[in-house]
Amino acid sequence: CLFQICICCKKLSFNHFTGSPKLDTTNSSFLLFLSLTGHIVETLLYVFLQTECDLEKGLETRKWVLSGILSTEESYLSHLEALLLPMKPLKAAATTSQPVLTVAQIETIFFKVPELYEIHKEFYDGLLPRVQQWSHHQRVGDLFQKLASQLGVYRAFLDNYELAVETAEKCCQANTQFAEISEVKPEEESCNPWLALLYKPVDRVTRSTLVLHDLLKHTPTSHPDHPLLQDALRISQNFLSSINEETSRRQSTTVKKGENRQLLKDSFMVELVEGARKLRHVFLFTDLLLCAKLKKQIGGKNQQYDCKWYIPLTELTFQGPEETEPLTIPQVPDEELDAIKVKISHLRSEIQREKKANKGSKAIDRLRKKLYEQESLLLLTCPSMPLRLFNRNSKSYSFLISSDYERSDWREIIKEQQKKCECVKTPSLTSMELQMLTSSCLKLQTVHHIPLSFNNEEDESSGLYGFLNVIVHSASGLKQSLNLYCTLEVDSFGLFSNKAKTRVYRYTTEPKWNEEFEIELEGSQTLRLLCYEKSYNRTKQNKDDGENTDRIMGKGQIPLDLQALQGKDWQRTVIPMNGIEVKLSIKFTTREFSLKRMPSEKPLGVFGIKISTVTKRERSKVPYIVRQCLEEIERRGMEEVGIYRVSGVATDIQALKTAFDTNNKDVSVMMSEMDVNAIAGTLKLYFRELPEPLFTDELYPNFAGGITLTDSVAKESCMLNLLLSLPEPNLVTFLFLLDHLKRVAEKESVNKMSLHNLATVFGPTLLRPAEKDSKIPSNPTQPISMGDSWSLEVMAQVQVLLYFLQLETIPTPDSKRQSILFSTEV
């Protein structure tokens, strides 16, 4: 019956697929036809089988699905055999005085085909007897899992596929003997059935995944095969996803000498040259790494590159000599970085206003040129994470990258490509050839450009501003028990930084963190997650770049789409990474909504209650919660990297909030057992939930205006008078906090928290006004974007707090500051 369907399908569609006017069963065209018609039959068979929904019938359906898989496997093996048929005589001839093809040509055309045949022959031989001796309890999942684990061979085949086809076509045209062996005539260039067989492994990757999906659909969750098939499907889907990403990024470029070279990855990086930061564009090709400087565009001409150096991948290593000196990284003050961000925000908003006003293109072009300059400056000054490369001749090169995700990405793809080109010798390239290579790259649409963060010409102000709540639930798919933790990164102005870290889940294959974090977004578009295996061996620290030995087990990312996150409900998602799946829930809150100060409905609580009410009730000058949190942080958090900046676990923060609100006597014991970042988060939450900011709604406009004064004497007089005008509980609490923050900054070399970093964290929390006191006009004559809001409001608040942090002393009215601060009497 199936054979009759095949014949009917042949009559209807063979000409359409192959362009061949007739069927010749003596050559491999027939094999291609069988594959195509077999695909149609298989699809019809699955449509029929999917109508069976009864559990018992579903189990029986598994046998028929597996029988179909056996049939297609048998057909696929015959295709591979036909492909390999000419390989033996060609290899034999290659050792004679009159070879048909060279050994290199044979290895290129038939690259990985024998390995694919052996893999599928083993799979077929293992599956056949199990289907023949079928029962509902029969297991086959291990065979599919093993098959999925060998997809790396397909990756190698796909990477070589275009070169194999090109080589085979050239050999067919130039060599009649090879054309005869391949059963292909030179004039049949438009229809090449033998070469069409080379496409079978490409097609097989996708089809195998679809068939696996159907098999899993007919396997009950209680069956022992179900988790194995799930794992195999996950591996296959991840593989397909990675192939699709690579396909969209890879573009072929040809240099003068005719070598076929592909661009695998490119990025702007900061190179350290004699202690100075230099902006570079780095290109990774299939055989070399090229570092170039992008010249400024002059007189409307196309951009050009000045090639600085290149390293053949066969000569590149990440490990240098033992005596390599530690890397000294020049740091840029945080004030400068924020000033650049403010300029970028303003420029994007100006571009939007010019577009809406339909102004001439010249004005927009001038603004975009300024935006390019500021984006380039931010990219040059911001990254601080080292990536060191070494040449075999001991020459070292040092780059700075903004995140561990990107650094890991570069290392992985370089190491993977090095395995593929171990025997490939890169010819020496002249400066002219390098120039041609980079010029070719400029023509590719996928090459990165500046601005980095917003390449969409229609919207330079896209991205999310507000707060993202993320719950890291659990991970699955691990093969062995490990000590695992996760970190979260988000982008801001095109650069990524680490924002949160889960606790280490000890020795398990199924970590269940269930930890919630609140991450502030500043024009963010992507959330990244990295999963690490914790190493407790400190003796293996890498002195070259200050890395510890924690190993990245997997990484993945998801886009932050406003439309998808507009609802108030949590959005559950799964991030697949290298066979591991991490489950997340995310919820986005806009800045306007999240920064509203709401009075508490619990009059006897602490959070959301006026500070004067709390201090009067407690008979103290400084609220108990502030004193307790600062005491605990000073006891064990002063050297914590990123203290106050790194998010604490939201569930721990909520537990402490409840304890303080209910006057729990064991709160000090709870704090001693919690992560210090959760305590820091509790303190920030207390100030954020005050119904009125510490600097009061009434005085905030005066503070925001006073900080803009240019005369230093007038500014100091104004700012101090305003500060001393605060209500006494507000003033004393602020001075108490101020002394603490200065002590934190004294440990900046360890905790990486400068006065400016602390001002950035606490400024909006202590000064954020109510909506009616916002500096932004309620009915502006021109549209105000979130970028304007961020720069006008947040930066003013940061500058006010930074001003007080930088003052050596702040006089108090009664000059008895210490007795006021530490007094617990009314």
Side-chain angles (χ1 to χ4, degrees), residues 41 78 115 142 150 508 528 553 592 621 726 783 821-822:
V41 173
S78 68
E115 289 86 344
D142 58 313
Q150 296 171 309
T508 179
R528 288 175 169 177
M553 299 298 297
E592 294 92 335
K621 295 292 184 181
L726 290 173
L821 289 177
F822 295 100

Side-chain angles (χ1 to χ4, degrees), residues 292-542:
K293 174 186 176 182
L294 179 61
K295 296 180 180 179
K296 291 184 179 179
Q297 193 168 346
I298 302 174
K301 295 180 180 179
N302 292 331
Q303 292 175 327
Q304 290 186 336
Y305 286 101
D306 178 13
C307 300
K308 294 298 182 180
W309 51 264
Y310 74 93
I311 309 177
L313 294 189
T314 53
E315 299 178 16
L316 186 151
T317 177
F318 293 102
Q319 296 295 330
E322 293 294 332
E323 63 272 13
T324 300
E325 295 181 1
L327 195 61
T328 301
I329 301 174
Q331 299 294 334
V332 178
D334 296 309
E335 295 90 330
E336 292 185 19
L337 297 178
D338 276 348
I340 297 171
K341 291 180 180 179
V342 171
K343 291 179 181 178
I344 292 174
S345 296
H346 284 190
L347 287 168
R348 288 179 186 153
S349 300
E350 286 184 48
I351 291 173
Q352 289 302 301
R353 286 193 283 267
E354 292 288 333
K355 285 182 176 180
K356 291 178 181 178
N358 292 321
K359 295 286 184 70
S361 60
K362 290 184 177 179
I364 295 177
D365 289 341
R366 284 196 299 270
L367 290 171
R368 282 185 173 155
K369 182 179 179 181
K370 292 180 180 179
L371 179 62
Y372 171 90
E373 293 171 352
Q374 292 301 318
E375 287 256 14
S376 300
L377 186 58
L378 182 65
L379 180 58
L380 178 66
T381 55
C382 195
S384 59
M385 189 170 288
L387 171 65
R388 303 194 73 174
L389 306 174
F390 298 88
N391 205 333
R392 298 293 185 191
N393 59 12
S394 299
K395 173 70 175 175
S396 66
Y397 304 91
S398 301
F399 292 103
L400 299 179
I401 298 180
S402 65
S403 79
D404 205 13
Y405 190 105
E406 294 171 16
R407 179 167 64 177
S408 169
D409 215 23
W410 275 96
R411 283 179 171 159
E412 287 177 6
I413 194 169
I414 288 175
K415 290 180 179 178
E416 180 182 342
Q417 186 60 27
Q418 282 179 323
K419 295 177 182 177
K420 301 174 184 176
C421 63
E422 289 178 352
C423 301
V424 177
K425 184 177 181 180
T426 301
S428 297
L429 299 177
T430 65
S431 58
M432 180 62 69
E433 289 171 330
L434 291 172
Q435 189 66 50
M436 290 175 61
L437 189 57
T438 53
S439 297
S440 299
C441 291
L442 267 180
K443 297 176 183 178
L444 305 178
Q445 297 180 354
T446 53
V447 174
H448 286 91
H449 296 282
I450 298 175
L452 294 176
S453 50
F454 301 102
N455 286 316
N456 183 358
E457 294 186 358
E458 298 301 320
D459 188 9
E460 275 90 353
S461 61
S462 57
L464 300 185
Y465 288 83
F467 291 88
L468 185 72
N469 287 77
V470 182
I471 301 177
V472 183
H473 292 293
S474 60
S476 59
L478 293 162
K479 304 300 183 185
Q480 56 181 329
S481 296
L482 299 171
N483 302 312
L484 292 177
Y485 67 92
C486 293
T487 63
L488 299 170
E489 294 181 356
V490 296
D491 58 310
S492 175
F493 294 88
L495 300 171
F496 283 83
S497 59
N498 184 23
K499 292 294 185 179
K501 174 183 174 182
T502 69
R503 69 183 185 278
V504 179
Y505 211 101
R506 302 293 295 270
Y507 202 68
T508 179
T509 57
E510 296 183 355
K512 297 178 181 178
W513 295 284
N514 293 318
E515 297 180 33
E516 182 183 345
F517 303 93
E518 184 179 74
I519 299 173
E520 187 171 4
L521 305 180
E522 296 173 353
S524 305
Q525 296 177 308
T526 305
L527 171 68
R528 288 175 169 177
L529 185 140
L530 297 96
C531 188
Y532 292 85
E533 177 192 5
K534 178 67 177 177
S535 172
Y536 293 98
N537 187 351
R538 297 184 178 180
T539 61
K540 293 183 179 180
Q541 187 125 359
N542 188 331

